[in-house]
Amino acid sequence: METVTTRAVPLCGPPGPAPRTGGLRIAPSTGAGPASTGRLAFAGIAVGNLLVLLDTSVLNVAVPDIQASLHPSSAALPWTVDAYTVVFAGLLLAGGVVADRWGARRVYACALALFAALSVACALAPGAGTLIAGRALLGAAGAGLVPASLALLIHLNPDPARRTRAIGAWTALSGLGAAVGPVLGGALVELGGWRLVFLVNPLLALAALLPVRRLPAPPVRDTRPLDRPGLLLSTAGLGLLTFGLAEAGVEGWAAPRALLPVAAASACFAAVVLVERRSAFPVLPPALLVLPRVRAAMAAAAVSCFAYFGGMYQLAVWFQHTYDLTPFQAGLASLPMAFPVCVMPFFTGRLVARHGPRPVLLAGTSAAVTAGALLAFATGDHPPLPLVVAAELALAATGTLSIPGAAAAVAAAAPAEYAATSQGALNGIRQAGSALGVAVLGTLGGLSTSGYVLLGAGMCAVWVVAAAGGRE
């Protein structure tokens, strides 16, 4: 049995067993400011990160209202949610490098201001294409916010014990953002329509911007060069694959609009492999992928985010269409999935520390299998609500168990020189799983079909984790 010390990790955000960000290596500060200044600075950092995670889920319950207002095609509709996650995933590693080069405080302030301005642009979007483009740019701003916020938090808390408590509170607030999103989004849609959802962001961004000048500025350090070809190819591959899968769910797998993007995505990923082998500073070093426990952790993280965020998106729409719930009621109906995200990561961290990451990963991937099996029985026009609620709880379990377990497994298995890179890569793969989950499950007709998809994906993840045990 391996024993790993870890911390609570939110479903969407940097996995934090090591005090580093995607490309950041932060030297500790030599001191801390007064307590009141520290609390205000922490509040600004936490609100900024909460803002990013709020936008991963706040729009889910607004999808039917967007459909009625802008009349996008069935394939384009998931992109109003997915464009944010795809770009966020692709640029997350680059965000850490940019913050290292230009300064975390400067990047954080610029990203907050950009997030606020782009949110207003999304609220004013005249059509689905404009909204999707705005969401994609929001994802880019979010990719700058998250690693910069973690760098500032680490620099603000040089004492290890204080830093651990601060990261625990920071991650809890991160989970709160994802959990509150559907309920807040539903209330705003009922109050003034989907456009009002985006107008909350500038208010939160302003609240986070006010204490920025009081934040300590971590030293700007030279870092490794940015692997532009790897980032461009991986982001393009993810976008093409997501588009192809969304089209396949609408047009069928034989449709050219599905086959061509999937084929192009395969070509991009093949090119990534070739480019990364020749790159001196690859985004995802091949030396990591040859480690079975690293591969298993990444597979478990991708499947858990595929299941959780894809399920959250589909259920938010399904509750409104099947049970004629209002957007706010649909948000409340998502609480069995959302609320555990705020609480369980603290307990999961203790489980990982006591038993090691592998048993926790097996439990998390098994929860995905359980959720798939439950949804497979959700047939008919009005399946029993207790069955759906049980599936929601299983989906919550797969995320709250697998993500901390994956972060700890990667931290234990990755070589020391790849500590930051491996965690950044894990976070990017998690976001890729989230984007693909929305694309695939969001275009499937019923819960039963989604159940079989989750059942298959979960069983594959269980097998990969079990096969990696005892190796290396």
Side-chain angles (χ1 to χ4, degrees):
M1 181 182 71
E2 53 186 332
T3 302
V4 178
T5 301
T6 188
R7 302 185 183 97
V9 182
L11 282 180
C12 182
R20 299 181 176 97
T21 58
L24 291 166
R25 297 177 182 272
I26 306 300
S29 172
T30 56
S36 59
T37 301
R39 285 193 295 269
L40 183 61
F42 172 80
I45 296 169
V47 169
N49 195 59
L50 181 147
L51 174 66
V52 175
L53 302 181
L54 181 68
D55 262 45
T56 62
S57 61
V58 72
L59 204 61
N60 288 348
V61 293
V63 167
D65 192 51
I66 293 173
Q67 188 174 27
S69 174
L70 301 181
H71 308 290
S73 66
S74 298
L77 187 61
W79 278 95
T80 59
V81 174
D82 240 353
Y84 178 85
T85 313
V86 168
V87 176
F88 181 58
L91 296 182
L92 200 55
L93 285 172
V97 177
V98 170
D100 232 2
R101 288 181 172 182
W102 293 352
R105 188 172 68 180
R106 180 185 301 173
V107 170
Y108 185 70
C110 292
L112 271 175
L114 187 60
F115 207 97
L118 289 170
S119 296
V120 175
C122 287
L124 300 175
T130 310
L131 176 59
I132 291 169
R135 287 281 290 171
L137 292 173
L138 273 177
L145 269 174
V146 170
S149 69
L150 184 56
L152 290 170
L153 183 69
I154 292 167
H155 194 72
L156 185 66
N157 297 276
D159 177 68
R162 180 179 170 186
R163 180 186 301 163
T164 299
R165 292 193 297 270
I167 291 178
W170 184 77
T171 54
L173 287 172
S174 300
L176 180 64
V180 168
V183 180
L184 177 62
L188 292 172
V189 170
E190 288 194 30
L191 184 63
W194 66 267
R195 297 180 189 275
L196 195 57
V197 171
F198 289 103
L199 296 181
V200 172
N201 291 345
L203 300 177
L204 291 174
L206 178 62
L209 268 172
L210 289 176
V212 160
R213 290 187 176 274
R214 299 191 181 189
L215 292 173
V220 177
R221 299 181 181 276
D222 292 330
T223 64
R224 60 183 188 173
L226 187 62
D227 180 18
R228 292 183 180 86
L231 287 169
L232 289 173
L233 286 169
S234 59
T235 304
L238 176 59
L240 288 167
L241 180 61
T242 305
F243 180 80
L245 292 175
E247 285 291 333
V250 177
E251 303 288 342
W253 284 98
R257 285 172 60 88
L259 291 177
L260 291 177
V262 171
S266 301
C268 285
F269 292 136
V272 168
V273 174
L274 297 176
V275 167
E276 297 300 84
R277 285 178 178 175
R278 299 176 181 178
S279 174
F281 300 96
V283 172
L284 186 57
L288 284 176
L289 295 182
V290 302
L291 303 174
R293 281 187 286 169
V294 171
R295 291 200 305 266
M298 290 184 174
V303 168
S304 67
C305 286
F306 176 95
Y308 182 84
F309 286 100
M312 177 176 281
Y313 173 86
Q314 185 184 30
L315 286 169
V317 177
W318 181 83
F319 275 126
Q320 295 179 67
H321 285 170
T322 304
Y323 287 97
D324 295 324
L325 299 183
T326 66
F328 179 65
Q329 290 171 334
L332 291 176
S334 72
L335 285 179
M337 278 186 71
F339 181 72
V341 178
C342 303
V343 180
M344 280 301 297
F346 293 104
F347 299 100
T348 306
R350 295 177 183 176
L351 290 175
V352 173
R354 179 174 298 179
H355 302 290
R358 184 169 174 264
V360 177
L361 282 177
L362 284 172
T365 50
S366 298
V369 174
T370 302
L374 290 169
L375 289 176
F377 287 104
T379 56
D381 294 335
H382 291 80
L385 277 178
L387 179 69
V388 178
V389 171
E392 286 185 295
L393 292 172
L395 288 171
T398 189
T400 53
L401 290 170
S402 294
I403 299 308
V410 168
E417 63 269 26
Y418 293 132
T421 300
S422 61
Q423 294 294 335
L426 175 65
N427 200 34
I429 287 173
R430 284 165 48 192
Q431 300 305 327
S434 303
L436 293 176
V438 172
V440 174
L441 301 185
T443 53
L444 295 178
L447 296 184
S448 180
T449 306
S450 296
Y452 286 112
V453 172
L454 291 178
L455 190 61
M459 291 177 69
C460 289
V462 169
W463 180 82
V464 171
V465 174
R471 300 175 70 179
E472 301 171 34

